[in-house]
Amino acid sequence: MAFQKAVKGTILVGGGALASVLGLSQFAHYRRKQVNLAYVEAAECVSEPVNREPPSREAQLLTLQNMSEFDILVIGGGATGCGCALDAVTRGLKTALVERDDFSSGTSSRSTKLIHGGVRYLQKAIMKLDIEQYRMVKEALHERANLLEIAPHLSAPLPIMLPIYKWWQLPYYWVGIKLYDLVAGSNCLKSSYVLSKSRALEHFPMLQKDKLVGAIVYYDGQHNDARMNLAIALTAARYGAATANYMEVVSLLKEAEPHTGRQRVCGARCRDVLTGQEFDVRAKCVINATGPFTDTVRRMDNQDAAAICQPSAGVHIVMPGYYSPESMGLLDPATSDGRVIFFLPWQKMTIAGTTDTPTDVTHHPIPSEEDINFILNEVRNYLSCDVEVRRGDVLAAWSGIRPLVTDPKSADTQSISRNHVVDISESGLITIAGGKWTTYRSMAEDTINAAIKTHNLKAGPSRTVGLFLQGGKDWSPTLYIRLVQDYGLESEVAQHLAATYGDKAFEVAKMASVTGKRWPIVGVRLVSEFPYIEAEVKYGIKEYACTAVDMISRRTRLAFLNVQAAEEALPRIVELMAKELNWDDYKKEEELETARKFLYYEMGYKSRSEQLTDRSEISLLPSDIDRYKKRFHKFDADQKGFITIVDVQRVLESIGVQMDENTLHEILNEVDLNKNGQVELNEFLQLMSAIQKGRVSGSRLAILMKTAEENLDRRVPIPVDRSCGGL
């Protein structure tokens, strides 16, 4: 079995040698020229896409069935798999890609949303004199610059603050961060800098100020990971790759070589998950890019293949945007158990993570309450005591499985390789595993290079450096203004469309429905708090969305931002998809049920329900119990011991407030723990106890009843919008 470590020889190995010969300043100048030449070469070599728009899924399936033989068949539609398809097709190879779920449905959509070189890996490289880790950081920093260049609408530089609480740490971390800038060379986004205590608190006012010495700020990139993955897939499709989601590989095809008689992989038996139809897809080379499921496909080839994947679960949580500044992240370099925690603004919310714990491979990873609380506790250590970090403010939570890999050729087969590896089996199956999101392009390049060499394919060098992804070529920071002026969209919606679809935002705007209002003229929102509009559902189907889960999690990011908002939007999303895809009532109910189950288990809704149950303790002071009973009896005038929709309507009418029955039903249902259609006194006290402990926040019933009690005589309107909507 041939086995290769994937290393960038020309840029990294040669670059290291040149640096020692030329000196750092001359080397930086040389690298700048080298990168510029690479971009020019890519722009001149790559022809225009063969398709103005990606072909429909139906057309892609026909291509998969009718093509006699592809040069490359990629299994896996994550960032690496789609990157392989794009690299192959732009070299002129006949390329196919199949994915058993949706594009980016696994690890690639559940990242920390950073495009980074890895500050901690550079620290290890220096401390341990580890040249491999140094090369990995160098490669990642080059790829970071390229990704920011080719998808400017989906990515941007982000300043990240490293707070310092001990004087000796200031020079230590400053030297490390400056080396990070130096290694980046011409690819350095912006130079790092030191902040005094007062300036650090100006930039990050929520920061714990006791014993704060100062801070260091450095720059990395941030992106919308699922949309980036989708952009890679759509770009590959436009260049001619036959890409299909919901196509599962049932088995690998093999045939005997005519001269040697040796069995070699020559394709795959595929099944359309949506229809059950099966057919063969033949290819000269098959690439396994299935992330955590790497060993599953390897054992289709050889059932005795040794496992090389060691899966690790990384949990992230999303909290309201007020927990962090709008444009400044935070790095905790040494948590209580030695892990690293990022605390970052993302999509006007705050994302915190990640954990790193061994796990089993599963298609449906679930965030554990233990991991959620670990992240919350670490966040509390760095935020001011004035900021109450509440469990109820967790709006969404998810777990992603990192496909860490071991080197079977290494003397220590248990050692984890932080770089990616390319494995070539005896039958010619090529496996790409490990690595990180940032380096997907170079991983794909190494993989296709190995495929060309192993299978004697005729193709030139990689052409993906500087190749714009879908939506990036004609994007500009002011593009959203044209959307506002030309179509009458809200500014927030226009900014969102420009940042999500790039120069394709105009196509979404053309599909937007008229609101019937003076302003905005078009763009009906799916849910009031977020700028997602109904037209994105229709456009999402053109982007190969097949299910409601695809729409709430990867075409829009609602499920990752606020699961309650996602659940609220689901019925309308299903209605819109049903109209476009001709779903009957049974199919609509099935989609609703599947999507709700996804939100409940995989996006943290289960944890929310466990914060308030009919078994929740009531831990209130006697004075608080009396106060809350008095509030409850304002609604329960008949002293029944429970309140219903009729009771709430009566109180609201007495102060001149009208509210539709469906909204009232939703509000009471949030607290009706035994689901008997009424809220009992004990349930109300359980709710107030959970709110006091921070396990629940944003309860509409609690806010409504408190406001009603305070304003019965003043006739002040009562707000009933979801407040944060925490889990």
Side-chain angles (χ1 to χ4, degrees):
M1 179 184 293
F3 187 87
Q4 299 171 287
K5 279 275 185 82
V7 178
K8 298 294 289 183
T10 304
I11 293 176
L12 297 175
V13 180
L18 275 173
S20 62
V21 174
L22 297 176
L24 289 172
S25 61
Q26 288 179 290
F27 177 64
H29 176 69
Y30 166 80
R31 283 291 296 119
R32 191 177 298 111
K33 289 178 66 178
Q34 188 185 43
V35 171
N36 289 341
L37 286 172
Y39 275 71
V40 171
E41 180 189 13
E44 290 177 350
C45 288
V46 178
S47 60
E48 289 298 310
V50 296
N51 302 306
R52 184 177 177 276
E53 296 296 332
S56 67
R57 182 174 182 272
E58 291 71 22
Q60 297 284 44
L61 292 178
L62 284 174
T63 303
L64 287 172
Q65 290 180 69
N66 296 328
M67 181 69 71
S68 58
E69 185 180 51
F70 290 94
D71 294 317
I72 298 280
L73 168 61
V74 181
I75 306 173
T80 305
C82 291
C84 287
L86 180 58
D87 189 282
V89 75
T90 52
R91 298 194 200 201
L93 295 170
K94 290 184 290 185
T95 305
L97 179 147
V98 293
E99 159 61 45
R100 73 175 300 279
D101 205 300
D102 186 26
F103 301 115
S104 198
S105 59
T107 308
S108 295
S109 64
R110 304 176 191 224
S111 72
T112 311
K113 323 303 179 193
L114 283 178
I115 309 169
H116 63 124
V119 174
R120 67 186 186 275
Y121 297 139
L122 180 60
Q123 179 190 26
K124 291 177 182 177
I126 295 169
M127 299 297 288
K128 298 180 180 180
L129 300 177
D130 188 334
I131 190 65
E132 182 185 348
Q133 295 229 37
Y134 168 79
R135 288 170 178 163
M136 183 182 67
V137 174
K138 184 78 176 175
E139 176 185 54
L141 289 170
H142 174 266
E143 294 301 323
R144 178 188 70 178
N146 183 63
L147 195 49
L148 289 166
E149 177 76 18
I150 65 177
H153 58 304
L154 291 169
S155 59
L158 176 72
I160 300 175
M161 181 181 290
L162 179 62
I164 306 296
Y165 288 93
K166 294 178 182 177
W167 279 108
W168 68 265
Q169 291 179 333
L170 192 57
Y172 174 77
Y173 284 123
W174 181 83
V175 169
I177 294 298
K178 279 299 174 186
L179 282 172
Y180 192 60
D181 291 348
L182 190 63
V183 171
S186 62
N187 294 320
C188 182
L189 302 180
K190 291 184 182 180
S191 183
S192 57
Y193 55 90
V194 177
L195 291 175
S196 65
K197 176 179 179 178
S198 60
R199 292 283 291 162
L201 291 171
E202 282 181 30
H203 284 81
F204 210 115
M206 310 84 175
L207 202 58
Q208 170 65 262
K209 56 188 174 184
D210 293 343
K211 298 182 180 179
L212 181 68
V213 172
I216 300 171
V217 176
Y218 73 98
Y219 286 81
D220 258 326
Q222 189 178 51
H223 68 153
N224 186 336
D225 53 2
R227 292 294 316 183
M228 185 73 80
N229 193 157
L230 185 62
I232 301 167
L234 293 171
T235 306
R238 289 182 63 208
Y239 274 90
T243 60
N245 54 353
Y246 294 99
M247 285 297 296
E248 180 181 15
V249 171
V250 178
S251 61
L252 296 178
L253 305 178
K254 289 188 177 183
E255 64 182 12
E257 289 184 336
H259 301 298
T260 64
R262 188 179 67 175
Q263 290 287 309
R264 71 175 187 90
V265 174
C266 60
R269 180 74 175 174
C270 298
R271 182 177 71 89
D272 187 337
V273 175
L274 303 180
T275 65
Q277 181 187 12
E278 290 190 11
F279 54 86
D280 292 341
V281 178
R282 302 188 70 83
K284 296 172 184 174
C285 172
V286 176
I287 294 173
N288 170 18
T290 53
F293 301 94
T294 291
D295 290 325
T296 302
V297 177
R298 291 177 75 243
R299 284 169 181 157
M300 287 184 183
D301 174 37
N302 176 8
Q303 62 182 7
D304 298 321
I308 63 170
C309 183
Q310 292 195 10
S312 173
V315 171
H316 295 81
I317 63 174
V318 168
M319 305 175 78
Y322 56 69
Y323 272 95
S324 66
E326 193 172 333
S327 58
M328 178 71 76
L330 184 75
L331 168 63
D332 177 357
T335 63
S336 55
D337 67 350
R339 290 184 273 192
V340 172
I341 290 285
F342 285 98
F343 192 63
L344 311 166
W346 185 67
Q347 301 283 305
K348 298 188 177 180
M349 294 294 179
T350 301
I351 184 172
T354 178
T355 60
D356 188 1
T357 52
T359 186
D360 295 326
V361 176
T362 172
H363 290 289
H364 307 289
I366 299 172
S368 72
E369 187 64 23
E370 181 183 356
D371 283 332
I372 292 171
N373 284 320
F374 167 78
I375 296 172
L376 287 172
N377 287 333
E378 293 302 324
V379 169
R380 289 187 186 101
N381 292 337
Y382 272 85
L383 295 190
S384 168
C385 56
D386 296 334
V387 180
E388 183 185 359
V389 180
R390 304 180 298 182
R391 173 62 182 82
D393 281 340
V394 177
L395 308 177
W398 68 85
S399 176
I401 301 177
R402 291 192 198 90
L404 304 178
V405 291
T406 56
D407 182 347
K409 296 297 183 183
S410 170
D412 179 10
T413 57
Q414 296 303 309
S415 63
I416 297 291
S417 172
R418 291 294 175 179
N419 211 328
H420 58 276
V421 295
V422 177
D423 176 32
I424 306 169
S425 75
E426 292 180 359
S427 60
L429 174 69
I430 295 181
T431 295
I432 171 67
K436 54 196 290 188
W437 223 121
T438 307
T439 58
Y440 85 89
R441 193 211 63 83
S442 62
M443 292 167 64
E445 180 181 342
D446 292 336
T447 306
I448 302 305
N449 285 344
I452 292 169
K453 182 178 179 180
T454 304
H455 294 276
N456 298 315
L457 304 176
K458 293 181 179 179
S462 176
R463 298 171 176 176
T464 51
V465 171
L467 178 70
F468 279 107
L469 299 183
Q470 165 127 330
K473 187 175 182 180
D474 295 321
W475 175 88
S476 74
T478 57
L479 183 146
Y480 79 94
I481 297 175
R482 288 178 54 197
L483 293 170
V484 175
Q485 294 175 336
D486 294 353
Y487 295 94
L489 288 161
E490 290 176 84
S491 181
E492 183 187 11
V493 171
Q495 288 176 349
H496 152 68
L497 294 181
T500 302
Y501 304 96
D503 57 32
K504 298 295 181 183
F506 296 100
E507 297 180 20
V508 184
K510 289 174 185 175
M511 301 170 74
S513 304
V514 175
T515 64
K517 301 176 183 177
R518 182 184 61 81
W519 190 263
I521 298 172
V522 301
V524 178
R525 294 195 182 209
L526 288 169
V527 64
S528 61
E529 305 103 299
F530 294 93
Y532 299 108
I533 60 174
E534 292 183 354
E536 292 181 76
V537 178
K538 300 174 187 175
Y539 191 78
I541 292 170
K542 294 179 65 175
E543 296 181 320
Y544 304 130
C546 299
T547 70
V549 172
D550 297 345
M551 205 64 73
I552 62 174
S553 58
R554 293 174 288 274
R555 302 311 180 278
T556 73
R557 305 311 305 275
L558 265 177
F560 283 81
L561 296 170
N562 189 318
V563 291
Q564 286 182 284
E567 186 184 43
E568 228 174 73
L570 261 179
R572 182 56 181 160
I573 287 173
V574 169
E575 282 296 327
L576 291 167
M577 293 188 75
K579 186 176 180 181
E580 297 294 320
L581 298 173
N582 298 316
W583 290 347
D584 58 20
D585 289 343
Y586 176 81
K587 177 63 175 176
K588 287 192 286 186
E589 281 302 315
E590 182 182 55
E591 286 293 321
L592 279 170
E593 181 63 27
T594 301
R596 284 171 178 151
K597 189 179 294 185
F598 167 78
L599 291 173
Y600 184 76
Y601 289 106
E602 295 185 52
M603 300 309 300
Y605 223 151
K606 180 176 184 291
S607 296
R608 181 258 184 193
S609 66
E610 290 171 350
Q611 300 308 308
L612 181 64
T613 70
D614 55 5
R615 298 180 300 279
S616 297
E617 292 183 3
I618 299 174
S619 302
L620 296 168
L621 295 173
S623 58
D624 288 333
I625 291 177
D626 291 340
R627 178 159 54 93
Y628 294 139
K629 280 184 176 179
K630 180 181 176 183
R631 184 177 301 169
F632 186 84
H633 289 139
K634 292 275 187 182
F635 288 76
D636 181 22
D638 302 329
Q639 303 291 304
K640 305 182 298 296
F642 60 86
I643 58 175
T644 64
I645 289 177
V646 174
D647 295 317
V648 178
Q649 282 177 325
R650 175 181 52 77
V651 173
L652 294 181
E653 287 172 4
S654 72
I655 57 175
V657 174
Q658 298 292 325
M659 195 178 302
D660 69 89
E661 192 169 319
N662 287 335
T663 301
L664 283 175
H665 178 75
E666 288 177 9
I667 291 172
L668 264 67
N669 194 53
E670 291 173 1
V671 189
D672 180 13
L673 303 178
N674 56 16
K675 304 303 177 189
N676 61 356
Q678 57 199 29
V679 175
E680 294 152 9
L681 175 60
N682 200 58
E683 290 173 325
F684 179 66
L685 294 177
Q686 287 173 317
L687 168 66
M688 300 314 296
S689 179
I691 289 173
Q692 276 199 9
K693 290 180 178 179
R695 294 201 307 265
V696 171
S697 68
S699 167
R700 290 188 283 180
L701 181 65
I703 294 170
L704 184 148
M705 293 178 71
K706 179 175 184 255
T707 310
E709 181 184 51
E710 293 173 348
N711 298 286
L712 273 170
D713 297 327
R714 288 181 284 171
R715 305 293 191 267
V716 175
I718 300 172
V720 294
D721 287 340
R722 205 174 37 245
S723 173
C724 301
L727 299 184

